[in-house]
Amino acid sequence: MDQEKQPRPYGNQQAPVPYGSGEGCLTTLVRIPVRIVVLVIVLPVRMVWDALVATARAADRVLLRPLGRALSWLGRVLVVIPLVRLYASVLTPFGHALRWVAAVAGRGLLWLGAALFVRPWVALWRYVVVPVVRHGIVAPMAWLYVSVLTPIGHGLRWVYRELLAPAGRGLAAAIGRVLTALLVWPVVGVWRYVLVPLALALAWLAKNLIVAPLAWTYRALLTPFGHGIAWLAGVVANGVVAVARGLGAAVARVVMTVLVIPAGWIRRRVLVPAGREIAAAIVVAWRIAGFVSRAVGRALARLAWYLVGAPAAWTYRTVCTPVGHFVRDAVWAPARRAAAEAGRAARGALRTARETVRQARRDAWRALVGGGPLPEPREPVGSLARTLGSTTTVPSAAPEPEISLRKQG
């Protein structure tokens, strides 16, 4: 069913055959039923999968995208545009007003705080504290230091250098000699002539009576006995290790012979080929099921077109399009023109009403507060040259062409 052709090597070279890839007639005979069974199992799954994919694409194209566009337009109209207009028309002017009020209030508070708290303390420091401290404390203290304390300090330094320091050095030398004669020399004599000979005698006795016997006992008795015990323990440990190694090798050989080698053979000869064949069968069955599913889908799509699409298209072209054109030309266009005329009329009426209200407000204001005469309404200034609608001739103006038409409002 699926005999793939392998490319032949160039020349007389033979392609290397991987270990365990040889296929016999039994494998070929088993492969076809396995692939048929897998195809029977995979075909419904592939058809269901293709149906779900087609349904998801159709739902995305027909429902989700228009719904997303509608929600986007609705969110823009109901949320974004009102928020933008609220920010631009309400919040921005309000924020500017708050900023101006805060700036004015801040300047006033700064001036008031400086006038109430900073300037009085600065004046107090500059005109009261600094003069009082300078003339009442610093100047007397400087005079006292220069005129009184400095001469007294110089005199005390002379007394210390010339009298007290030599007397102290002589007294310290005499006291040091007395203390050395009374305390240091007796202690040195006791240490040198009593304690050091006694310590040397005790050390010689300890070395000859205690250390030498203990060293001979360690060297002549304990060391040979310890060597014998270590040799015996080594022999026993080597024997135990050899026995353990032999038992471990035997157990490993038994496990390899009974479990590992059969398991490896089963994996190499049974499980791996079976898994490979099942995977290849699933791939081939999935492709064949895709071909079958696409063929069924095309048949259903063609049937739906002949049953639903073609009549709907014929109805749209033959019935809906003429009716829509008739409605557009006979109903919608006159209604739109009428709405435009009504809008223009409403705008003209509103413009007239605004002019009337503006004129009435001016007249009322002039009646209340008085004022000069109203300025005469000025005519629109046209060209100074003679035109078809005017007979006025200005000598200094260049005449316009006779065929030029005035722009109609």
Side-chain angles (χ1 to χ4, degrees):
M1 182 176 181
D2 186 21
Q3 297 292 337
E4 294 84 4
K5 294 182 179 180
Q6 300 295 333
R8 295 181 179 180
Y10 179 76
N12 296 326
Q13 298 178 358
Q14 298 294 330
V17 180
Y19 177 76
S21 62
E23 297 180 354
C25 59
L26 182 60
T27 303
T28 306
L29 292 176
V30 171
R31 179 182 296 169
I32 296 175
V34 168
R35 292 190 177 184
I36 292 173
V37 172
V38 172
L39 176 62
V40 172
I41 296 173
V42 171
L43 181 60
V45 178
R46 181 59 186 265
M47 295 185 69
V48 171
W49 174 261
D50 291 340
L52 292 176
V53 170
T55 304
R57 290 178 180 174
D60 178 67
R61 185 178 302 171
V62 176
L63 180 61
L64 296 179
R65 293 181 184 177
L67 182 60
R69 295 191 188 97
L71 291 177
S72 176
W73 177 82
L74 187 63
R76 185 171 61 255
V77 171
L78 296 180
V79 178
V80 176
I81 295 176
L83 289 178
V84 170
R85 291 184 178 178
L86 176 65
Y87 175 79
S89 302
V90 178
L91 297 180
T92 301
F94 185 69
H96 291 170
L98 286 180
R99 184 179 63 181
W100 179 80
V101 171
V104 173
R107 294 192 189 97
L109 290 176
L110 287 176
W111 182 86
L112 183 62
L116 293 179
F117 297 102
V118 178
R119 292 177 182 176
W121 291 104
V122 170
L124 179 63
W125 172 263
R126 182 178 298 172
Y127 300 108
V128 177
V129 175
V130 172
V132 169
V133 171
R134 178 180 297 173
H135 299 288
I137 298 176
V138 176
M141 293 297 294
W143 177 83
L144 179 65
Y145 174 78
V146 173
S147 303
V148 179
L149 297 179
T150 300
I152 293 174
H154 291 173
L156 292 176
R157 183 179 63 181
W158 182 85
V159 170
Y160 172 75
R161 287 182 178 179
E162 300 298 332
L163 298 178
L164 296 180
R169 285 194 292 270
L171 183 61
I175 293 173
R177 289 181 178 277
V178 172
L179 292 177
T180 300
L182 295 177
L183 298 177
V184 177
W185 289 349
V187 173
V188 171
V190 171
W191 170 262
R192 182 179 297 173
Y193 300 107
V194 177
L195 295 179
V196 171
L198 182 61
L200 293 176
L202 292 176
W204 183 83
L205 291 175
K207 180 178 180 181
N208 293 323
L209 296 179
I210 296 173
V211 177
L214 289 177
W216 181 84
T217 302
Y218 175 77
R219 186 169 56 251
L221 298 178
L222 297 179
T223 300
F225 184 71
H227 289 173
I229 293 175
W231 177 80
L232 183 59
V235 171
V236 173
N238 291 331
V240 172
V241 169
V243 172
R245 288 179 179 176
L247 291 176
V251 172
R253 181 59 61 88
V254 170
V255 170
M256 287 291 295
T257 305
V258 175
L259 296 178
V260 177
I261 294 176
W265 183 85
I266 292 173
R267 174 186 171 277
R268 187 171 58 254
R269 296 296 182 180
V270 178
L271 297 179
V272 172
R276 189 184 299 115
E277 291 299 329
I278 292 173
I282 291 175
V283 172
V284 174
W286 185 263
R287 293 177 181 174
I288 296 173
F291 297 150
V292 175
S293 176
R294 282 192 288 271
V296 173
R298 293 191 189 96
L300 292 178
R302 184 60 59 88
L303 182 62
W305 167 255
Y306 283 118
L307 293 180
V308 179
W314 179 85
T315 303
Y316 177 77
R317 288 193 305 269
T318 309
V319 178
C320 296
T321 300
V323 171
H325 291 175
F326 173 77
V327 170
R328 182 189 63 187
D329 297 335
V331 178
W332 176 250
R336 185 174 60 183
R337 287 193 294 270
E341 294 294 336
R344 282 194 291 272
R347 286 194 297 272
L350 290 176
R351 189 181 303 109
T352 304
R354 282 197 299 270
E355 292 294 335
T356 305
V357 171
R358 188 179 296 111
Q359 187 65 32
R361 187 174 67 249
R362 291 177 182 175
D363 295 340
W365 178 259
R366 187 175 296 106
L368 290 175
V369 301
L374 291 175
E376 294 295 333
R378 294 181 297 177
E379 294 295 334
V381 179
S383 176
L384 297 178
R386 185 172 62 85
T387 60
L388 293 177
S390 176
T391 58
T392 303
T393 303
V394 179
S396 60
E400 290 186 352
E402 294 292 334
I403 59 173
S404 62
L405 300 177
R406 296 289 298 275
K407 183 182 295 185
Q408 299 296 327

